[in-house]
């Protein structure tokens, strides 16, 4: 079974098809991604006093962030928080047997370790009612309940499942918590760690030994195994001397696979800021133009430089080291200060640091397949419906044109397909037919792009896509399962709100499955080859779908330990 987790940003097709409203039928009628439209433009709009405004640099693209849904899964079992009973329901996806494990009060989030984690891995549950985290042994051993900082509303765990970090995210609703601290949890207990002001993000290295807590004051580097008591870990700056004016809140971050290299950038600066976390040093690297989008997969980091109509591909960390050394040798850095080069020398390659002029101008976003074999440059600007595919091995390009603008893209694991999400434009579809251009413009939709042939298929939908799950077996066709946004409070529920769209990525065939309740979460269970769809139901309802065949079984009343259908 290939991987579970993917971020996709997609392209559009020339073939418009509707997902059918009939359960399991061929698509023929409408069913019920830091990609918003690019702010775009080189100049400010005229002001009220007639001032035409000053020239402005290209604006960063803000594609909608889409990821394939990731449930809390260990082996064949799904872990679902049950706030009503202060328990976690563990559902066997093969036998549909249900086990309820007591946790703290009002459990809200469940985090599972990655596949292949060791015997000391734990499933972690954040309990908002009593400010605790429960650590559950997947093998059935004794559970541990440890206190965390009051009103923590976020919980992240290392892939190893040995450590977790609970913190308060001020962007989420609810009671206010500590803005300058996190709690590190493990089987050894829990310890509060004071960090910089306004925690924004927590990153982990691949092996799960180091956590980076990003705040407005910089980044606090936590050696997780060494934390055995409450402490303060001072934040380090994210930029080198001379760049203190850069607002830390603007910086976007990428952590290298070994956890030693942290790359920061902002669309307002034509530089990368690179931190060596082991040595606690920072340098800047000139890019020639401000980056407007980026994608990281394995050790490959790609930037879109829309002002220069280029992509920049970097091999981590060697490409960064070579570029900085070459720029110093060329005299671009003197005593830490930047000396701008001539215009013709602004984009110079180094070993592992390579620019690529792209065929379509002003593409400000980029996505990579999980194996870093294929990149796609695109834009959220509704006036540009082309994108460029780049084979990373030889940097060959192919241009693809779409029927609709792009909102976000999901990439698969091995560069076989991209799933592109499209927005709708305002206006009613009443009185229009699917052959009318306005009907296409005023519909939501997604496209499936076969990268090998550059063939695409556009599926129009009545509602906005909210969740996506990829099933990619070693043999046979891959499938994507999609569900829609739920109705807003007080809004009427449509038939399509309860539908799941199943797309065969080999044949491009799409079909619709209708549920008896609104879906609110879904994900792949690799061990059993099933997709699970949790639904809004007073007694708890979850449907298991054989990903390869579409066959379904539903468990209703898992909160009461009953009701298999």
């Amino acid at each position: 079974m290939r991987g579970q987790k993917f971020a996709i940003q997609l392209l559009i097709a020339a073939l418009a098809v509707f997902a059918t409203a009939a359960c399991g039928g061929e698509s023929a009628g409408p069913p019920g991604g830091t990609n918003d439209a690019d702010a775009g433009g080189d100049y400010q709009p005229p002001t009220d006093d007639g001032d035409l405004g000053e020239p402005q640099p290209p604006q960063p693209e803000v594609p909608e962030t889409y990821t394939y849904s990731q449930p809390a899964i260990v082996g064949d079992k799904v872990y679902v928080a049950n706030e009503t009973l202060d328990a976690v329901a563990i559902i066997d996806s093969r036998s549909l047997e249900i086990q309820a494990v007591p946790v703290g009060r009002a459990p809200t989030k469940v985090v599972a370790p990655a596949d292949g984690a060791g015997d000391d891995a734990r499933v972690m549950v954040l309990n908002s009612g009593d400010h605790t985290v429960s650590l559950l042994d997947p093998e059935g051993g004794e559970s541990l309940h440890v206190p965390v900082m009051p009103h923590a509303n976020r919980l992240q765990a290392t892939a190893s499942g040995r450590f977790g970090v609970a913190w308060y995210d001020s962007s989420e609703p609810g009671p206010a918590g500590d803005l300058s601290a996190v709690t590190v949890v493990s089987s050894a207990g829990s310890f509060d760690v004071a960090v910089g002001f306004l925690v924004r993000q927590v990153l982990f290295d691949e092996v799960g030994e180091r956590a980076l807590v990003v705040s407005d004051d910089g980044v606090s580097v936590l050696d997780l195994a060494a934390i055995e008591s409450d402490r303060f870990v001072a934040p380090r700056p994210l930029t080198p001397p001379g760049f203190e004016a850069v607002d830390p809140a603007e910086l976007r971050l990428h952590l290298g696979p070994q956890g030693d290299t942290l790359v920061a950038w902002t669309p307002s600066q034509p530089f990368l800021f690179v931190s060596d976390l082991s040595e606690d040093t920072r340098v800047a690297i000139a890019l020639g133009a401000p980056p407007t989008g980026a994608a990281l997969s394995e050790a490959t980091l790609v930037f879109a430089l829309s002002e220069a109509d280029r992509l920049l591909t970097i091999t981590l960390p060697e490409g960064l080291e070579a570029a900085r050394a070459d720029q110093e040798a060329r005299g671009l850095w003197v005593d830490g200060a930047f000396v701008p080069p001539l215009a013709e020398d602004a984009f110079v390659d180094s070993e592992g640091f390579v620019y690529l002029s792209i065929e379509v101008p002003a593409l400000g976003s980029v996505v990579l397949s999980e194996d870093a074999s294929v990149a796609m440059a695109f834009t959220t600007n509704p006036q540009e419906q082309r994108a460029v595919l780049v084979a990373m091995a030889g940097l060959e390009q192919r241009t693809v044109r779409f029927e609709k603008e792009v909102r976000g893209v999901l990439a698969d694991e091995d560069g076989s397909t991209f799933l592109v999400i499209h927005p709708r434009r305002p206006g009613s579809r009443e009185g229009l037919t699917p052959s009318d251009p306005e009907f296409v413009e005023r519909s939501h939709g997604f496209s499936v792009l076969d990268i090998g042939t550059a063939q695409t298929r556009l599926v129009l939908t009545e509602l906005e896509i909210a969740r996506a799950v990829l099933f990619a077996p070693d043999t046979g066709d891959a499938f994507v399962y999609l569900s829609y946004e739920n109705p807003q409070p007080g809004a009427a529920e449509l038939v399509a709100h309860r539908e799941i769209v199943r797309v065969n990525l080999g044949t491009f065939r799409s079909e619709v499955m209708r549920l008896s309740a609104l879906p609110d979460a879904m994900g792949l269970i690799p061990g059993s080859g099933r997709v699970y769809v949790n639904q809004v139901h007073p007694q708890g309802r979850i449907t298991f779908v054989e990903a390869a065949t579409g066959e379904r079984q539903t468990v209703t009343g898992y909160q009461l330990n009953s009701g298999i259908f």
Side-chain angles (χ1 to χ4, degrees), residues 108-239:
T108 55
K109 300 184 186 302
V110 184
V111 181
D115 286 343
D119 294 338
D120 51 358
R122 294 293 182 267
V123 175
M124 301 185 187
V125 184
L126 179 62
N127 307 303
S128 62
D130 57 9
H131 313 306
T132 63
V133 165
S134 299
L135 292 88
L136 311 182
D137 183 355
E139 301 300 321
E142 184 176 356
S143 300
L144 177 67
H145 310 281
V146 298
V148 297
M149 54 185 287
H151 307 305
N153 55 15
R154 292 286 301 275
L155 176 64
Q156 295 175 242
T158 60
S160 66
R162 294 181 57 211
F163 301 98
V165 175
W167 52 288
Y168 169 69
D169 183 350
S170 60
S171 67
E172 294 193 2
D178 193 329
L179 296 172
S180 304
V182 300
T183 303
V184 175
V185 300
S186 71
S187 296
S190 61
F191 307 102
D192 291 339
V193 180
V195 292
F197 176 73
L198 194 56
V199 175
R200 295 184 176 274
Q201 187 178 7
V202 177
L203 304 172
F204 296 108
D205 64 4
E206 286 189 350
V207 296
E209 295 179 352
R210 174 181 287 167
L212 307 184
V213 181
V214 182
S215 66
D216 279 0
D217 294 325
V219 56
S220 297
V221 181
L222 279 56
D223 182 353
L224 296 171
I227 295 178
E228 299 176 339
S229 62
D230 296 348
R231 64 182 59 190
F232 170 58
V233 178
R236 307 174 183 180
L238 288 166
T239 57

Side-chain angles (χ1 to χ4, degrees), residues 8-17 35 66 363 367 376-389 398-410 417-425 437 439-451 453-461 465 508:
I8 290 186
Q9 302 175 331
L10 261 197
L11 310 176
I12 282 190
L15 199 56
V17 185
N35 293 2
Y66 292 94
L363 301 183
V367 64
M376 188 178 87
F378 66 98
T379 179
T380 57
N381 184 343
Q383 304 306 314
E384 178 59 82
Q385 296 177 356
R386 293 174 297 172
V388 173
L389 295 175
R398 288 180 293 167
T399 299
V400 181
R401 184 184 297 272
F402 306 111
E403 296 284 342
K404 289 171 64 70
E405 62 263 36
V406 177
R407 183 171 188 175
V409 183
L410 287 168
T417 57
F418 284 139
L419 179 70
V420 180
I421 311 299
H422 306 299
R424 70 180 297 273
R425 293 189 179 182
F439 190 95
V440 176
E441 290 179 354
R442 297 172 187 178
S443 299
H444 294 285
F446 63 90
S447 293
V448 179
L449 169 69
D450 178 80
I451 295 174
T453 64
Q455 295 297 309
T456 63
R457 178 164 183 166
L458 172 65
V459 177
L460 300 180
T461 65
I465 292 170
F508 285 7

Side-chain angles (χ1 to χ4, degrees), residues 26 50 63 82 89 161 190 200 202 223 281 288 328 332 341 408 412 426 451:
E26 183 74 35
N82 183 333
S190 61
R200 295 184 176 274
V202 177
D223 182 353
T281 58
E328 290 178 352
L332 271 62
D412 71 358
I451 295 174

Side-chain angles (χ1 to χ4, degrees), residues 187 210 246 272 325 416 487 562:
S187 296
R210 174 181 287 167
V246 175
L272 297 182
S416 298
S562 63

Side-chain angles (χ1 to χ4, degrees), residues 499-519:
E499 292 177 344
I500 302 294
V501 181
R502 178 175 180 262
V503 183
N504 185 317
L505 298 184
T507 65
F508 285 7
R509 180 180 184 270
S510 61
E511 58 185 340
V512 168
M513 298 181 293
R514 188 166 297 154
L515 304 174
S516 57
L518 289 171

